[in-house]
Amino acid sequence: MPDDTIAAVATAIAPGEGSVAIVRVSGPAAEAIGQHLFVAPGDQPWESHRVLYGHVCDPASGERVDEALLLLMRAPRSFTRETVLEFHCHGGLISVQRVLELVLASGARRALPGEFSQRAFLNGRLDLTRAEAISELVTARSRRAAQLAMAGLDGGLQVRIAALRERLLDQLAELEARVDFEDDLPPLDGAAVAAELAAVQAELEQLVADGERGQLLRDGLRVAIVGRPNVGKSSLLNRLSCSERAIVTDLPGTTRDLVESELVLHGVPLTLLDTAGIRSTSDRVEQIGIERSRSALQSADAVLLLFDLSVGWCDDDAALRALVPDGVPLLVVGNKADQLRAHASSASAPADVCISALTGAGESELVAQLLARCGHSDPQGVQLALNRRQQDLAAAAAASLGASLEAARQQLPWDFWTIDLRAAVRALGEITGEEVSEAVLDRVFSRFCIGK
């Protein structure tokens, strides 16, 4: 257990915002720091897991810095399993920063990002999957992402990975026993061992696939809406975001810069980029907007290419489609379906979906097709989702099992089976933190916010 005491502001703070701010302190000196700085009037008992009312005071001057509540949680009944003390101060910026400065001056040091969670892991309070789920819950951008984080925080992911690892350990024990004592043990059914390894490999591959879908729920998509001027890009952005984020007129070239709108559709966070219409122009300001549109097109996760159904598909639309990078999901959208005359037909148009940004017709189909093109057709189907680190390790474990199965197919001796099987067991242990280096821990927790 670390022998120093750490402190940080554990809530988001900003001038004029937030009614309460928390300064968290953890470590052997936490209680002494609280007694040094906090004055509680009356006969309030100083007990663990009891809230005290009083003031944080500057010991040097006696000045009352803030009226606050104090919560003491003595070890091991705390998040970090160390003694933890929290000052619940008024929100804002100045008073909470002054309280933190007094805590640091009293012997604590400023906590590193994720250091509270790291101590909880090191002290056995959390496994690594639960610790990572805390960070994912804090940064969740949609309700579904928060639900997946809670599934990890509740231990579902740890239980699943631990169960798979135990199954592999059972097979590894049988194989290694035959390597050392084959003459003293009954024959081992190699086909049954291979079948079990293949079953675990299939489950890991499914977890990796679900992780990819879950990553979309966490990270979201940057979707560029591109097209010639006046095809309805800004109208579509306003329709999807349910707000007037972009100026809409009948004049071509109205959008001169990128307009971004963040929203959640079917549980997936989207950042829509309304780009300037790409065309030849002598207007320098519009030229800058078009250059930014081209840049957005290159960096987008997906592209909606709009064209005007009432005008029809043209060479300029085809030239825009050619600008979309290979491998980027593309949905060609015919807009202004409401302006088609009764006898007009869009059968020859290369539209994947036809819509009216004005009336909203076709909007649901557009969203469904966009998400399907990006590999996310069933947001409710994912119950547990590995993060990127965990996906890489699960994929490595599955690959190692594939190598063990190849040894089985070649009918190699048992010790050849065990080499890659051990690697698979190590990879799964690294997911939960049972086998993990200090460097990996530092990398994982450095991505957390300060105060967690």
Side-chain angles (χ1 to χ4, degrees), residues 141 216 219-223 240 261-265 268-272 367 370-371:
R141 297 173 58 195
L216 189 60
D219 298 343
L221 293 170
R222 287 177 60 83
V223 180
L240 292 175
S261 181
E262 294 195 359
L263 62 152
V264 176
L265 295 177
V268 179
L270 298 180
T271 300
L272 296 180
V367 173
L370 172 64
L371 296 182

Side-chain angles (χ1 to χ4, degrees), residues 12 43 60 99 125 133 156 170 183 314 345 364 383 391 420:
D43 297 325
V99 171
R125 173 67 171 76
D170 288 342
D183 294 339
C314 67
S345 172
S364 296
Q383 301 303 320
Q391 285 178 57
D420 294 294

Side-chain angles (χ1 to χ4, degrees), residues 86-231:
E86 292 182 349
F87 296 100
H88 292 233
C89 314
H90 285 96
L93 187 62
I94 301 302
S95 61
V96 67
Q97 289 291 358
R98 288 196 65 192
V99 171
L100 178 60
E101 289 169 4
L102 290 175
V103 170
L104 297 176
S106 299
R109 67 167 175 82
R110 198 179 298 270
L112 300 173
E115 192 168 5
F116 291 97
S117 297
Q118 186 170 7
R119 290 191 175 198
F121 167 76
L122 293 173
N123 294 330
R125 173 67 171 76
L126 299 171
D127 71 276
L128 198 52
T129 63
R130 285 183 173 93
E132 289 178 294
I134 293 172
S135 178
E136 290 158 11
L137 183 61
V138 171
T139 58
R141 297 173 58 195
S142 69
R143 181 177 296 183
R144 282 292 292 133
Q147 289 171 343
L148 288 177
M150 277 304 303
L153 189 57
D154 288 342
L157 185 56
Q158 189 274 337
V159 169
R160 181 80 174 273
I161 295 298
L164 293 176
R165 186 169 182 265
E166 283 298 318
R167 289 166 63 182
L168 295 184
L169 284 170
D170 288 342
Q171 301 309 311
L172 182 60
E174 291 290 342
L175 289 167
E176 291 187 332
R178 287 344 184 259
V179 171
D180 296 328
F181 309 106
E182 187 163 20
D183 294 339
D184 302 323
L185 295 171
L188 181 62
D189 186 347
V193 173
E196 178 69 349
L197 298 186
V200 174
Q201 181 188 39
E203 289 195 43
L204 288 173
E205 289 172 345
Q206 184 60 56
L207 280 173
V208 172
D210 287 346
E212 288 292 339
R213 295 161 67 196
Q215 205 63 42
L216 189 60
L217 291 168
R218 293 190 186 99
D219 298 343
L221 293 170
R222 287 177 60 83
V223 180
I225 306 175
V226 300
R228 293 182 295 111
N230 209 35
V231 296

Side-chain angles (χ1 to χ4, degrees), residues 17 52 77 117 200 235 282 401 404:
E17 297 183 11
L52 300 180
R77 295 174 58 207
S117 297
V200 174
S235 296
S282 58
L401 292 178
S404 288

Side-chain angles (χ1 to χ4, degrees), residues 290-314:
I290 291 171
E291 290 169 5
R292 293 181 178 178
S293 296
R294 291 177 181 272
S295 177
L297 189 62
Q298 297 298 315
S299 63
D301 298 313
V303 174
L304 294 178
L305 173 56
L306 261 65
F307 73 96
D308 189 338
L309 285 170
S310 64
V311 174
W313 183 262
C314 67

